[in-house]
Every structure is written in structure tokens, then in C-alpha cells.
Amino acid sequence: MSPSSESAPTPLTIAVAGGTGVVGRHVVAAATSAGHSVRVLARATGVDLRSPEHLADHLAGIDVVVDASGISTLDEDASVAFFESVTSSLLRAEAEAGVRHHVALSIVGAAAAPSGYYAGKARQERLLQESGAAWTILRTTQFHEFVTQVLQRPPLLGVHLVPSMRTQPVAAAEVADELVRLAEQEPAGFATDLGGPVEEKLTDLARRYLAATGGHGPVVPVPVPGPMGRAMRSGGLLPGPGALRGRQTFDEWLRAVRSSPGA
């Protein structure tokens, strides 16, 4: 098909759950740039995703829901409770409002190592699979911003304890672009995974981030116990050979962070 014969996607009305978060805000920007109408579902806009009351009213006239919501926790019970509540509430409200497509963001390895935060994402995936709704799930690797979350934990005697982990960080904006592209398509079940362009060690990323941002203290790798730790060290959380690859490297992202106002 020649470029001149390609038609632009039909404009949609898209609701973005978690539309003020790390990925969600990029989804809002990408969808708007693509000509879609966007409705943000977040506490900042007066919507509690965990409360089904009146949620269907917020979904009136919506074609597709993109769920980029999340919770800042490493606790397994808290993660499962959050994603179970949000996903169940959204699915009930979508059925009532006649939404035709649910697109969810998940993590590479969530089903293979369902512990901690990943347990909640695994529960989210199962709920969608069992729902009978029309859905698409995009699994991605960690975002570049993941290293900042790791380093937010207070150092121990000046030492940053960072999990021993192989990772392939991806740009949140590129994840958002792919979520919007999938929202424009028919429901696809599990979409092709998306990872970053380069495999890295999380400890190396932490050292480079600290050096670039004026941070101090040594970084010491810590092996995480259990199945999650084994997956981190073995590469079980890396995308497979058939996965899509992002373009922006961690170092390119870091340069952008350093050059941004207030950095």
C-alpha cells in the first residue's frame, strides 16, 4: 500500500485511566496529537478508579479505555488489591456504558514471576482474560524512570542498595505511542511485547543516574530472594526475541532529564 492510499485512523473518544501518571500523561498527549478526543480518569479529575459508583457515567460515549493506572508499592497484597479493584470496576462500568475495547498496560514477566508488584499485574491480566470483554494487553519492560523509584529508598549508612537485575528500559513516551496505536486497532488479546533498545544492569543505571544528577554514595547490588529475584538475575524479565524494540536509550533519556528545566 502506498503512503498516499493510507487513511488516518478514525477519531475515537478514549478514556485514559491513570491519565496523570508516568505513562498515562504521555498517552493523553499521544492520543490528542493523533486527533482523538481524550477523557482523563484520575483522582485529579475527580474519578476514583477503585470506586465503581458513577464510573459508568464517566465512560458514557467512550470508544476505548486505556488503563495505565498504577500504585507505588512493593507489597504483594496491596498491589493485588489495587489492580483487582480497578480492573473489576472498569470492566463493570465499561459493560454498562457500552465501551467496545479495553487496552491495558502490563509488565514483561508478570505471569512468570507473580510476586510483589508483579502479582497485581498478573491478577489484572487474569481478570481481563476471564472477563469475556474485548481486550488488548501490552506487556513492556521497566521505564527509564524505574531507576529513580529505586533510588528514592533511603540509603543504608550512605550506601544505595539496588536489586541485582537485568533490565531493558524503555521510554514511557514510546510505550504510550504503542498503547494509542493498539487502541486504534481491533482487540488483539496479548499484543507483541515492547522493550527498550539496550539490555542493562540496574546497578549500572543507578550509578550513571547518580553521577549525572549530583547524587552521592556507592551502589551495591543486592540479590532479591525467591522466584522474583531469580527472574531478575536470569533475564526472565527481559523481552523475547520477537518483541518490539524502542528507540530511546537510557543515556539519551538521562541527557534529556539533565537538560530539562528544574533538573
Short mmCIF file of all heavy atoms in Angstrom, two decimals, residues 47-118:
data_model
loop_
_atom_site.label_atom_id
_atom_site.label_comp_id
_atom_site.label_asym_id
_atom_site.label_seq_id
_atom_site.Cartn_x
_atom_site.Cartn_y
_atom_site.Cartn_z
N VAL A 47 -12.12 11.38 39.71
CA VAL A 47 -12.54 10.00 39.45
C VAL A 47 -11.70 9.05 40.30
O VAL A 47 -10.47 9.02 40.18
CB VAL A 47 -12.39 9.62 37.97
CG1 VAL A 47 -12.87 8.19 37.73
CG2 VAL A 47 -13.16 10.60 37.08
N ASP A 48 -12.37 8.28 41.16
CA ASP A 48 -11.70 7.25 41.94
C ASP A 48 -11.92 5.92 41.23
O ASP A 48 -13.02 5.38 41.22
CB ASP A 48 -12.26 7.19 43.36
CG ASP A 48 -11.52 6.19 44.25
OD1 ASP A 48 -10.67 5.44 43.72
OD2 ASP A 48 -11.81 6.16 45.45
N LEU A 49 -10.86 5.39 40.62
CA LEU A 49 -10.97 4.18 39.82
C LEU A 49 -11.36 2.96 40.64
O LEU A 49 -11.88 1.99 40.10
CB LEU A 49 -9.65 3.90 39.09
CG LEU A 49 -9.22 4.94 38.07
CD1 LEU A 49 -7.81 4.64 37.58
CD2 LEU A 49 -10.19 4.97 36.89
N ARG A 50 -11.11 3.00 41.94
CA ARG A 50 -11.42 1.86 42.78
C ARG A 50 -12.86 1.87 43.28
O ARG A 50 -13.30 0.92 43.91
CB ARG A 50 -10.45 1.80 43.96
CG ARG A 50 -9.06 1.37 43.56
CD ARG A 50 -8.08 1.36 44.71
NE ARG A 50 -7.66 2.72 45.06
CZ ARG A 50 -6.67 2.99 45.90
NH1 ARG A 50 -6.02 2.01 46.49
NH2 ARG A 50 -6.32 4.23 46.14
N SER A 51 -13.58 2.94 42.98
CA SER A 51 -14.97 3.04 43.38
C SER A 51 -15.86 2.97 42.14
O SER A 51 -15.83 3.86 41.29
CB SER A 51 -15.23 4.36 44.12
OG SER A 51 -16.60 4.50 44.40
N PRO A 52 -16.66 1.90 41.99
CA PRO A 52 -17.48 1.76 40.79
C PRO A 52 -18.64 2.76 40.72
O PRO A 52 -19.24 2.94 39.66
CB PRO A 52 -18.00 0.33 40.89
CG PRO A 52 -17.98 0.01 42.35
CD PRO A 52 -16.80 0.75 42.91
N GLU A 53 -18.93 3.42 41.84
CA GLU A 53 -20.05 4.35 41.86
C GLU A 53 -19.82 5.50 40.88
O GLU A 53 -18.80 6.19 40.93
CB GLU A 53 -20.24 4.92 43.27
CG GLU A 53 -21.47 5.81 43.41
CD GLU A 53 -21.66 6.33 44.82
OE1 GLU A 53 -20.78 6.07 45.68
OE2 GLU A 53 -22.68 7.00 45.06
N HIS A 54 -20.76 5.66 39.97
CA HIS A 54 -20.75 6.73 38.96
C HIS A 54 -19.65 6.57 37.91
O HIS A 54 -19.53 7.44 37.04
CB HIS A 54 -20.62 8.12 39.60
CG HIS A 54 -21.64 8.41 40.65
ND1 HIS A 54 -22.98 8.25 40.43
CD2 HIS A 54 -21.50 8.85 41.94
CE1 HIS A 54 -23.65 8.58 41.53
NE2 HIS A 54 -22.77 8.94 42.45
N LEU A 55 -18.86 5.50 37.97
CA LEU A 55 -17.79 5.34 36.98
C LEU A 55 -18.35 5.19 35.58
O LEU A 55 -17.79 5.70 34.61
CB LEU A 55 -16.91 4.14 37.34
CG LEU A 55 -15.63 3.95 36.52
CD1 LEU A 55 -14.78 5.22 36.51
CD2 LEU A 55 -14.81 2.78 37.06
N ALA A 56 -19.49 4.49 35.45
CA ALA A 56 -20.10 4.32 34.12
C ALA A 56 -20.50 5.67 33.52
O ALA A 56 -20.45 5.84 32.29
CB ALA A 56 -21.32 3.40 34.22
N ASP A 57 -20.86 6.63 34.38
CA ASP A 57 -21.22 7.96 33.87
C ASP A 57 -20.02 8.62 33.20
O ASP A 57 -20.16 9.31 32.18
CB ASP A 57 -21.72 8.85 35.00
CG ASP A 57 -23.04 8.37 35.59
OD1 ASP A 57 -23.76 7.63 34.90
OD2 ASP A 57 -23.33 8.72 36.75
N HIS A 58 -18.84 8.39 33.76
CA HIS A 58 -17.62 8.97 33.18
C HIS A 58 -17.24 8.29 31.86
O HIS A 58 -16.44 8.83 31.10
CB HIS A 58 -16.47 8.86 34.17
CG HIS A 58 -16.62 9.70 35.39
ND1 HIS A 58 -16.46 11.07 35.39
CD2 HIS A 58 -16.95 9.37 36.67
CE1 HIS A 58 -16.67 11.54 36.60
NE2 HIS A 58 -16.96 10.54 37.40
N LEU A 59 -17.79 7.10 31.62
CA LEU A 59 -17.46 6.36 30.41
C LEU A 59 -18.52 6.49 29.32
O LEU A 59 -18.40 5.86 28.27
CB LEU A 59 -17.24 4.87 30.73
CG LEU A 59 -16.06 4.58 31.67
CD1 LEU A 59 -15.94 3.07 31.88
CD2 LEU A 59 -14.77 5.12 31.10
N ALA A 60 -19.52 7.29 29.55
CA ALA A 60 -20.56 7.49 28.54
C ALA A 60 -19.95 8.08 27.27
O ALA A 60 -19.22 9.07 27.31
CB ALA A 60 -21.64 8.42 29.08
N GLY A 61 -20.19 7.42 26.14
CA GLY A 61 -19.68 7.90 24.86
C GLY A 61 -18.24 7.52 24.57
O GLY A 61 -17.68 7.93 23.55
N ILE A 62 -17.63 6.72 25.44
CA ILE A 62 -16.23 6.31 25.25
C ILE A 62 -16.15 5.10 24.32
O ILE A 62 -16.91 4.15 24.45
CB ILE A 62 -15.58 5.96 26.61
CG1 ILE A 62 -15.48 7.21 27.48
CG2 ILE A 62 -14.22 5.30 26.42
CD1 ILE A 62 -14.56 8.28 26.94
N ASP A 63 -15.21 5.14 23.39
CA ASP A 63 -14.98 4.02 22.49
C ASP A 63 -13.99 3.01 23.09
O ASP A 63 -14.19 1.80 23.02
CB ASP A 63 -14.42 4.51 21.15
CG ASP A 63 -15.38 5.42 20.42
OD1 ASP A 63 -16.53 5.00 20.18
OD2 ASP A 63 -14.98 6.56 20.09
N VAL A 64 -12.90 3.53 23.65
CA VAL A 64 -11.82 2.68 24.15
C VAL A 64 -11.34 3.22 25.49
O VAL A 64 -11.19 4.43 25.67
CB VAL A 64 -10.62 2.65 23.17
CG1 VAL A 64 -9.54 1.68 23.66
CG2 VAL A 64 -11.07 2.29 21.77
N VAL A 65 -11.09 2.30 26.42
CA VAL A 65 -10.43 2.65 27.67
C VAL A 65 -8.99 2.16 27.60
O VAL A 65 -8.73 0.99 27.28
CB VAL A 65 -11.13 2.01 28.89
CG1 VAL A 65 -10.25 2.13 30.14
CG2 VAL A 65 -12.47 2.68 29.14
N VAL A 66 -8.05 3.04 27.88
CA VAL A 66 -6.64 2.66 28.02
C VAL A 66 -6.30 2.74 29.49
O VAL A 66 -6.35 3.82 30.09
CB VAL A 66 -5.71 3.57 27.20
CG1 VAL A 66 -4.25 3.21 27.48
CG2 VAL A 66 -6.01 3.47 25.71
N ASP A 67 -5.98 1.61 30.09
CA ASP A 67 -5.71 1.57 31.53
C ASP A 67 -4.21 1.61 31.77
O ASP A 67 -3.50 0.62 31.59
CB ASP A 67 -6.31 0.30 32.15
CG ASP A 67 -6.12 0.27 33.67
OD1 ASP A 67 -5.64 1.28 34.22
OD2 ASP A 67 -6.48 -0.75 34.29
N ALA A 68 -3.73 2.78 32.18
CA ALA A 68 -2.32 2.97 32.51
C ALA A 68 -2.17 3.28 34.00
O ALA A 68 -1.18 3.88 34.42
CB ALA A 68 -1.72 4.09 31.67
N SER A 69 -3.16 2.87 34.79
CA SER A 69 -3.14 3.16 36.22
C SER A 69 -2.10 2.32 36.93
O SER A 69 -1.64 1.29 36.42
CB SER A 69 -4.52 2.91 36.83
OG SER A 69 -4.88 1.54 36.72
N GLY A 70 -1.71 2.75 38.10
CA GLY A 70 -0.73 2.01 38.87
C GLY A 70 -0.72 2.47 40.31
O GLY A 70 -1.40 3.42 40.70
N ILE A 71 0.06 1.76 41.12
CA ILE A 71 0.18 2.08 42.54
C ILE A 71 1.65 1.95 42.92
O ILE A 71 2.36 1.06 42.45
CB ILE A 71 -0.70 1.13 43.40
CG1 ILE A 71 -0.57 1.46 44.88
CG2 ILE A 71 -0.35 -0.32 43.13
CD1 ILE A 71 -1.53 0.67 45.77
N SER A 72 2.13 2.85 43.77
CA SER A 72 3.52 2.81 44.22
C SER A 72 3.63 1.91 45.44
O SER A 72 3.41 2.35 46.58
CB SER A 72 4.02 4.23 44.55
OG SER A 72 4.00 5.05 43.41
N THR A 73 3.93 0.65 45.21
CA THR A 73 4.08 -0.30 46.30
C THR A 73 4.89 -1.50 45.83
O THR A 73 4.89 -1.82 44.64
CB THR A 73 2.70 -0.78 46.81
OG1 THR A 73 2.89 -1.61 47.96
CG2 THR A 73 1.97 -1.59 45.74
N LEU A 74 5.58 -2.12 46.78
CA LEU A 74 6.22 -3.40 46.53
C LEU A 74 5.49 -4.52 47.26
O LEU A 74 5.86 -5.69 47.15
CB LEU A 74 7.69 -3.36 46.99
CG LEU A 74 8.61 -2.39 46.23
CD1 LEU A 74 10.01 -2.39 46.86
CD2 LEU A 74 8.68 -2.75 44.75
N ASP A 75 4.43 -4.14 47.99
CA ASP A 75 3.68 -5.11 48.77
C ASP A 75 2.72 -5.89 47.88
O ASP A 75 1.91 -5.30 47.16
CB ASP A 75 2.89 -4.39 49.88
CG ASP A 75 2.12 -5.36 50.75
OD1 ASP A 75 2.74 -5.99 51.63
OD2 ASP A 75 0.91 -5.51 50.53
N GLU A 76 2.82 -7.21 47.93
CA GLU A 76 2.01 -8.05 47.05
C GLU A 76 0.51 -7.88 47.29
O GLU A 76 -0.27 -7.73 46.36
CB GLU A 76 2.41 -9.52 47.24
CG GLU A 76 1.67 -10.49 46.33
CD GLU A 76 2.27 -11.87 46.37
OE1 GLU A 76 3.51 -11.99 46.40
OE2 GLU A 76 1.50 -12.85 46.37
N ASP A 77 0.10 -7.89 48.55
CA ASP A 77 -1.33 -7.78 48.86
C ASP A 77 -1.89 -6.44 48.40
O ASP A 77 -3.00 -6.37 47.85
CB ASP A 77 -1.56 -7.96 50.37
CG ASP A 77 -1.30 -9.38 50.84
OD1 ASP A 77 -1.33 -10.30 50.00
OD2 ASP A 77 -1.06 -9.57 52.05
N ALA A 78 -1.12 -5.37 48.62
CA ALA A 78 -1.59 -4.05 48.21
C ALA A 78 -1.71 -3.96 46.70
O ALA A 78 -2.67 -3.37 46.17
CB ALA A 78 -0.65 -2.97 48.74
N SER A 79 -0.75 -4.52 45.98
CA SER A 79 -0.78 -4.48 44.52
C SER A 79 -1.96 -5.28 43.98
O SER A 79 -2.69 -4.81 43.10
CB SER A 79 0.53 -5.03 43.96
OG SER A 79 0.52 -5.00 42.54
N VAL A 80 -2.16 -6.49 44.50
CA VAL A 80 -3.28 -7.31 44.04
C VAL A 80 -4.60 -6.62 44.32
O VAL A 80 -5.50 -6.58 43.48
CB VAL A 80 -3.23 -8.70 44.69
CG1 VAL A 80 -4.52 -9.47 44.42
CG2 VAL A 80 -2.03 -9.49 44.18
N ALA A 81 -4.73 -6.06 45.52
CA ALA A 81 -5.99 -5.40 45.88
C ALA A 81 -6.27 -4.21 44.96
O ALA A 81 -7.42 -4.00 44.53
CB ALA A 81 -5.92 -4.92 47.33
N PHE A 82 -5.23 -3.44 44.63
CA PHE A 82 -5.42 -2.28 43.77
C PHE A 82 -5.86 -2.69 42.37
O PHE A 82 -6.88 -2.21 41.86
CB PHE A 82 -4.13 -1.45 43.68
CG PHE A 82 -4.21 -0.31 42.70
CD1 PHE A 82 -4.77 0.90 43.07
CD2 PHE A 82 -3.74 -0.46 41.40
CE1 PHE A 82 -4.85 1.95 42.17
CE2 PHE A 82 -3.83 0.59 40.49
CZ PHE A 82 -4.38 1.79 40.88
N PHE A 83 -5.11 -3.57 41.73
CA PHE A 83 -5.42 -3.92 40.34
C PHE A 83 -6.70 -4.73 40.23
O PHE A 83 -7.41 -4.62 39.22
CB PHE A 83 -4.23 -4.63 39.70
CG PHE A 83 -3.09 -3.72 39.38
CD1 PHE A 83 -1.92 -3.74 40.12
CD2 PHE A 83 -3.20 -2.80 38.35
CE1 PHE A 83 -0.88 -2.88 39.84
CE2 PHE A 83 -2.16 -1.92 38.06
CZ PHE A 83 -0.99 -1.96 38.81
N GLU A 84 -7.00 -5.53 41.23
CA GLU A 84 -8.27 -6.26 41.21
C GLU A 84 -9.44 -5.29 41.30
O GLU A 84 -10.42 -5.40 40.56
CB GLU A 84 -8.32 -7.26 42.35
CG GLU A 84 -9.55 -8.15 42.33
CD GLU A 84 -9.46 -9.27 43.35
OE1 GLU A 84 -9.68 -8.97 44.55
OE2 GLU A 84 -9.16 -10.40 42.97
N SER A 85 -9.33 -4.31 42.20
CA SER A 85 -10.40 -3.33 42.38
C SER A 85 -10.58 -2.46 41.15
O SER A 85 -11.70 -2.29 40.64
CB SER A 85 -10.10 -2.47 43.61
OG SER A 85 -11.07 -1.46 43.75
N VAL A 86 -9.48 -1.92 40.63
CA VAL A 86 -9.57 -1.01 39.48
C VAL A 86 -10.06 -1.75 38.24
O VAL A 86 -10.96 -1.26 37.54
CB VAL A 86 -8.20 -0.35 39.21
CG1 VAL A 86 -8.20 0.35 37.86
CG2 VAL A 86 -7.86 0.63 40.31
N THR A 87 -9.49 -2.92 37.96
CA THR A 87 -9.87 -3.65 36.76
C THR A 87 -11.32 -4.08 36.82
O THR A 87 -12.07 -3.96 35.84
CB THR A 87 -8.96 -4.87 36.55
OG1 THR A 87 -7.60 -4.43 36.53
CG2 THR A 87 -9.27 -5.58 35.25
N SER A 88 -11.76 -4.59 37.97
CA SER A 88 -13.15 -5.03 38.12
C SER A 88 -14.11 -3.86 37.96
O SER A 88 -15.13 -3.97 37.28
CB SER A 88 -13.34 -5.70 39.48
OG SER A 88 -12.55 -6.86 39.60
N SER A 89 -13.76 -2.73 38.58
CA SER A 89 -14.62 -1.55 38.47
C SER A 89 -14.71 -1.05 37.04
O SER A 89 -15.80 -0.73 36.54
CB SER A 89 -14.09 -0.43 39.38
OG SER A 89 -14.18 -0.79 40.74
N LEU A 90 -13.57 -1.00 36.36
CA LEU A 90 -13.58 -0.53 34.97
C LEU A 90 -14.39 -1.47 34.08
O LEU A 90 -15.19 -1.01 33.25
CB LEU A 90 -12.15 -0.42 34.45
CG LEU A 90 -11.34 0.80 34.89
CD1 LEU A 90 -9.89 0.67 34.45
CD2 LEU A 90 -11.95 2.09 34.33
N LEU A 91 -14.19 -2.76 34.23
CA LEU A 91 -14.90 -3.71 33.37
C LEU A 91 -16.41 -3.63 33.58
O LEU A 91 -17.18 -3.68 32.61
CB LEU A 91 -14.39 -5.13 33.63
CG LEU A 91 -12.99 -5.44 33.10
CD1 LEU A 91 -12.53 -6.80 33.59
CD2 LEU A 91 -12.95 -5.38 31.58
N ARG A 92 -16.84 -3.50 34.82
CA ARG A 92 -18.29 -3.38 35.08
C ARG A 92 -18.83 -2.10 34.46
O ARG A 92 -19.89 -2.11 33.82
CB ARG A 92 -18.55 -3.39 36.58
CG ARG A 92 -18.40 -4.74 37.24
CD ARG A 92 -19.06 -4.78 38.60
NE ARG A 92 -18.47 -3.83 39.53
CZ ARG A 92 -17.45 -4.10 40.33
NH1 ARG A 92 -16.88 -5.31 40.29
NH2 ARG A 92 -16.98 -3.19 41.16
N ALA A 93 -18.10 -1.00 34.66
CA ALA A 93 -18.57 0.28 34.12
C ALA A 93 -18.53 0.29 32.60
O ALA A 93 -19.44 0.85 31.95
CB ALA A 93 -17.71 1.41 34.68
N GLU A 94 -17.53 -0.32 32.01
CA GLU A 94 -17.44 -0.39 30.55
C GLU A 94 -18.59 -1.18 29.96
O GLU A 94 -19.15 -0.81 28.92
CB GLU A 94 -16.10 -1.02 30.15
CG GLU A 94 -14.90 -0.12 30.39
CD GLU A 94 -13.58 -0.87 30.27
OE1 GLU A 94 -13.55 -1.94 29.64
OE2 GLU A 94 -12.57 -0.39 30.82
N ALA A 95 -18.95 -2.28 30.60
CA ALA A 95 -20.08 -3.08 30.12
C ALA A 95 -21.37 -2.26 30.18
O ALA A 95 -22.19 -2.31 29.26
CB ALA A 95 -20.20 -4.35 30.95
N GLU A 96 -21.53 -1.51 31.25
CA GLU A 96 -22.73 -0.70 31.40
C GLU A 96 -22.78 0.44 30.39
O GLU A 96 -23.85 0.78 29.86
CB GLU A 96 -22.80 -0.14 32.82
CG GLU A 96 -24.05 0.66 33.13
CD GLU A 96 -24.11 1.15 34.55
OE1 GLU A 96 -23.42 0.57 35.42
OE2 GLU A 96 -24.86 2.13 34.81
N ALA A 97 -21.61 1.02 30.09
CA ALA A 97 -21.55 2.17 29.20
C ALA A 97 -21.42 1.79 27.73
O ALA A 97 -21.50 2.66 26.85
CB ALA A 97 -20.38 3.08 29.60
N GLY A 98 -21.18 0.51 27.44
CA GLY A 98 -21.06 0.08 26.05
C GLY A 98 -19.70 0.33 25.44
O GLY A 98 -19.58 0.45 24.20
N VAL A 99 -18.65 0.41 26.26
CA VAL A 99 -17.29 0.58 25.74
C VAL A 99 -16.89 -0.69 24.99
O VAL A 99 -17.09 -1.80 25.48
CB VAL A 99 -16.30 0.86 26.88
CG1 VAL A 99 -14.87 0.95 26.35
CG2 VAL A 99 -16.69 2.14 27.61
N ARG A 100 -16.29 -0.56 23.82
CA ARG A 100 -16.05 -1.72 22.96
C ARG A 100 -14.65 -2.31 23.06
O ARG A 100 -14.41 -3.40 22.54
CB ARG A 100 -16.33 -1.36 21.50
CG ARG A 100 -15.40 -0.30 20.92
CD ARG A 100 -15.67 -0.08 19.44
NE ARG A 100 -14.77 0.89 18.84
CZ ARG A 100 -13.53 0.62 18.43
NH1 ARG A 100 -13.04 -0.59 18.59
NH2 ARG A 100 -12.78 1.56 17.89
N HIS A 101 -13.71 -1.63 23.74
CA HIS A 101 -12.33 -2.12 23.73
C HIS A 101 -11.62 -1.64 24.99
O HIS A 101 -11.68 -0.45 25.34
CB HIS A 101 -11.62 -1.60 22.48
CG HIS A 101 -10.26 -2.20 22.25
ND1 HIS A 101 -9.45 -1.76 21.20
CD2 HIS A 101 -9.56 -3.17 22.87
CE1 HIS A 101 -8.33 -2.45 21.22
NE2 HIS A 101 -8.36 -3.31 22.22
N HIS A 102 -10.95 -2.57 25.67
CA HIS A 102 -10.17 -2.25 26.86
C HIS A 102 -8.70 -2.57 26.57
O HIS A 102 -8.35 -3.72 26.29
CB HIS A 102 -10.67 -3.09 28.05
CG HIS A 102 -9.95 -2.82 29.34
ND1 HIS A 102 -10.58 -2.18 30.40
CD2 HIS A 102 -8.70 -3.12 29.76
CE1 HIS A 102 -9.72 -2.10 31.41
NE2 HIS A 102 -8.58 -2.66 31.04
N VAL A 103 -7.85 -1.55 26.64
CA VAL A 103 -6.41 -1.73 26.41
C VAL A 103 -5.69 -1.54 27.74
O VAL A 103 -5.85 -0.50 28.39
CB VAL A 103 -5.88 -0.72 25.38
CG1 VAL A 103 -4.38 -0.90 25.18
CG2 VAL A 103 -6.61 -0.87 24.05
N ALA A 104 -4.92 -2.53 28.16
CA ALA A 104 -4.25 -2.47 29.45
C ALA A 104 -2.75 -2.55 29.30
O ALA A 104 -2.22 -3.27 28.45
CB ALA A 104 -4.73 -3.60 30.35
N LEU A 105 -2.05 -1.83 30.16
CA LEU A 105 -0.60 -1.86 30.22
C LEU A 105 -0.17 -2.84 31.30
O LEU A 105 -0.61 -2.75 32.45
CB LEU A 105 -0.07 -0.46 30.55
CG LEU A 105 1.43 -0.34 30.83
CD1 LEU A 105 2.25 -0.73 29.61
CD2 LEU A 105 1.77 1.09 31.28
N SER A 106 0.68 -3.80 30.93
CA SER A 106 1.21 -4.74 31.90
C SER A 106 2.74 -4.81 31.78
O SER A 106 3.35 -3.96 31.11
CB SER A 106 0.58 -6.13 31.71
OG SER A 106 0.91 -6.99 32.79
N ILE A 107 3.35 -5.78 32.43
CA ILE A 107 4.81 -5.86 32.52
C ILE A 107 5.30 -7.20 31.99
O ILE A 107 4.72 -8.24 32.29
CB ILE A 107 5.28 -5.70 33.97
CG1 ILE A 107 4.65 -4.49 34.63
CG2 ILE A 107 6.80 -5.61 34.03
CD1 ILE A 107 4.97 -4.38 36.10
N VAL A 108 6.37 -7.17 31.23
CA VAL A 108 7.02 -8.40 30.78
C VAL A 108 7.43 -9.21 32.02
O VAL A 108 8.10 -8.69 32.91
CB VAL A 108 8.26 -8.10 29.92
CG1 VAL A 108 9.05 -9.38 29.65
CG2 VAL A 108 7.85 -7.44 28.60
N GLY A 109 7.00 -10.46 32.09
CA GLY A 109 7.35 -11.31 33.21
C GLY A 109 6.33 -11.35 34.32
O GLY A 109 6.51 -12.08 35.31
N ALA A 110 5.22 -10.60 34.19
CA ALA A 110 4.24 -10.55 35.27
C ALA A 110 3.66 -11.93 35.57
O ALA A 110 3.48 -12.31 36.73
CB ALA A 110 3.12 -9.58 34.92
N ALA A 111 3.35 -12.69 34.54
CA ALA A 111 2.76 -14.00 34.76
C ALA A 111 3.80 -15.03 35.20
O ALA A 111 3.48 -15.96 35.94
CB ALA A 111 2.08 -14.48 33.47
N ALA A 112 5.05 -14.85 34.78
CA ALA A 112 6.09 -15.82 35.10
C ALA A 112 6.64 -15.65 36.51
O ALA A 112 7.10 -16.62 37.12
CB ALA A 112 7.23 -15.69 34.09
N ALA A 113 6.60 -14.43 37.04
CA ALA A 113 7.12 -14.17 38.38
C ALA A 113 6.14 -13.29 39.15
O ALA A 113 6.41 -12.12 39.46
CB ALA A 113 8.49 -13.49 38.28
N PRO A 114 4.95 -13.85 39.47
CA PRO A 114 3.89 -13.05 40.09
C PRO A 114 4.08 -12.84 41.59
O PRO A 114 3.39 -13.44 42.41
CB PRO A 114 2.63 -13.86 39.79
CG PRO A 114 3.11 -15.28 39.77
CD PRO A 114 4.51 -15.22 39.21
N SER A 115 5.03 -11.98 41.95
CA SER A 115 5.21 -11.64 43.35
C SER A 115 5.43 -10.15 43.46
O SER A 115 5.77 -9.48 42.48
CB SER A 115 6.39 -12.41 43.95
OG SER A 115 7.60 -12.06 43.30
N GLY A 116 5.24 -9.60 44.66
CA GLY A 116 5.36 -8.17 44.85
C GLY A 116 4.40 -7.41 43.95
O GLY A 116 3.25 -7.80 43.77
N TYR A 117 4.89 -6.33 43.37
CA TYR A 117 4.06 -5.52 42.47
C TYR A 117 3.56 -6.34 41.28
O TYR A 117 2.43 -6.17 40.82
CB TYR A 117 4.88 -4.32 41.99
CG TYR A 117 4.12 -3.37 41.09
CD1 TYR A 117 3.26 -2.43 41.63
CD2 TYR A 117 4.27 -3.41 39.70
CE1 TYR A 117 2.56 -1.54 40.81
CE2 TYR A 117 3.58 -2.53 38.88
CZ TYR A 117 2.73 -1.60 39.44
OH TYR A 117 2.03 -0.74 38.63
N TYR A 118 4.39 -7.24 40.81
CA TYR A 118 4.04 -8.04 39.64
C TYR A 118 2.81 -8.92 39.89
O TYR A 118 2.09 -9.27 38.95
CB TYR A 118 5.21 -8.93 39.22
CG TYR A 118 6.29 -8.22 38.44
CD1 TYR A 118 6.78 -6.98 38.84
CD2 TYR A 118 6.84 -8.78 37.30
CE1 TYR A 118 7.78 -6.33 38.14
CE2 TYR A 118 7.84 -8.14 36.58
CZ TYR A 118 8.30 -6.91 37.00
OH TYR A 118 9.28 -6.27 36.29
#
